[in-house]
Amino acid sequence: AAVAWGPGQALVMEDVEVAPPGPLEIRVKVVSTSICRSDVTQWQSTAQPDLFPRIFGHEASGVVESVGEGVTEFQVGDHALTVFIGECMSCKHCVSGKSNMCQTLGLERKGVMHSDQTTRFSIGGKPVYHYCAVSSFSEYAVVHSGCAVKVSPTMPMDRICLLSCGASAGLGAAWNVADVSKGSSVVIFGLGTVGLSVSIYGGCYCM
C-alpha cells in the first residue's frame, strides 16, 4: 500500500497487513483507483495529525476476494465499485428516496470502519488509518458491503473507478442539485472529472 506517515509527507510503499472482512464487510482486490482532490486536501491537512499513518484513496474498482459473515449481495469473484457514502437501506435517509446521506454508513471522518470503529490495516501490529472507510491506495481494501456496488464483469475497471466519486458527483450536481432541465443555460467552471461529468450530462458551455 502507499502509506502517508504524516501530513504532506511523501507516500511510501509499505507491506501492510490487511485483516479479513468482519461481519457485513468484503475484502476487495483493488484493480484500478483514481485520485480525487479530496485525497490530496486531506493528505496535506494538519487538522487531524493523529490519523496517521494513513492510506488514502476512495475511488476504486476491483474484485471481491473474500466476504464476511452476513454478506448476501456479494460473492467471491464479483466485480465491485467502492463508494465512500454507503446505504444501510433502513435509516430515514435511505428509505426517503430523497437523500443519500446514510445515518449508518455516511461519510467516515475518523479513519476507522463504520462497524466497530477500528482499522483493518496494520504495520508491525500498529494501526494504519483508513480514508473514507475505503483506502484504495492499497492492493487490498476492506469495505462495508453497503459501501460497494456490484458491477458487470464486462465493465472496464480502469474507467469505472471514476464513478465512485467524481463522475457521480458531477452528474448528481446536475440532476439532483441544480435540477438542470432542457433549455437551461449553464456555465461550468473547471473541467476536472466533476466538471466534465456535468458537461457530458447537458452538453453545457464550459470554461
Side-chain angles (χ1 to χ4, degrees):
V3 178
W5 287 93
Q9 294 184 19
L11 306 186
V12 180
M13 297 303 297
E14 302 279 11
D15 290 328
V16 177
E17 183 176 346
V18 185
L24 300 180
E25 296 174 352
I26 61 175
R27 187 162 59 185
V28 177
K29 179 175 176 58
V30 176
V31 175
S32 294
T33 184
S34 47
I35 187 168
C36 178
R37 179 64 202 179
S38 61
D39 292 307
V40 178
T41 300
Q42 290 302 310
W43 164 62
Q44 293 174 331
S45 174
T46 58
Q48 295 178 301
D50 54 324
L51 293 187
F52 288 88
R54 199 172 194 183
I55 299 172
F56 287 96
H58 61 281
E59 302 181 354
S61 56
V63 180
V64 177
E65 179 265 347
S66 55
V67 299
E69 180 183 352
V71 175
T72 58
E73 61 269 48
F74 290 97
Q75 296 180 344
V76 172
D78 283 343
H79 287 207
L81 190 70
T82 63
V83 293
F84 64 96
I85 296 179
E87 289 183 299
C88 70
M89 306 305 293
S90 59
C91 74
K92 68 178 183 179
H93 286 279
C94 284
V95 301
S96 71
K98 299 178 180 180
S99 170
N100 71 333
M101 300 305 291
C102 179
Q103 293 174 296
T104 302
L105 300 175
L107 183 60
E108 208 298 306
R109 299 176 184 271
K110 295 181 287 186
V112 293
M113 295 294 290
H114 291 96
S115 55
D116 60 5
Q117 301 296 291
T118 65
T119 72
R120 299 293 177 269
F121 297 109
S122 62
I123 296 178
K126 296 182 179 180
V128 176
Y129 294 98
H130 298 254
Y131 179 61
C132 289
V134 177
S135 295
S136 58
F137 294 172
S138 174
E139 288 185 287
Y140 291 87
V142 176
V143 300
H144 193 285
S145 59
C147 293
V149 178
K150 188 187 299 185
V151 296
S152 168
T154 63
M155 300 293 287
M157 291 279 197
D158 60 339
R159 299 177 189 176
I160 62 169
C161 57
L162 291 170
L163 294 173
S164 289
C165 177
S168 56
L171 290 171
W175 279 336
N176 301 323
V177 180
D179 194 21
V180 177
S181 58
K182 186 176 181 179
S184 297
S185 296
V186 179
V187 177
I188 303 165
F189 295 89
L191 287 177
T193 306
V194 175
L196 285 172
S197 298
V198 175
S199 65
I200 290 170
Y201 166 73
C204 306
Y205 175 67
C206 306
M207 56 187 302

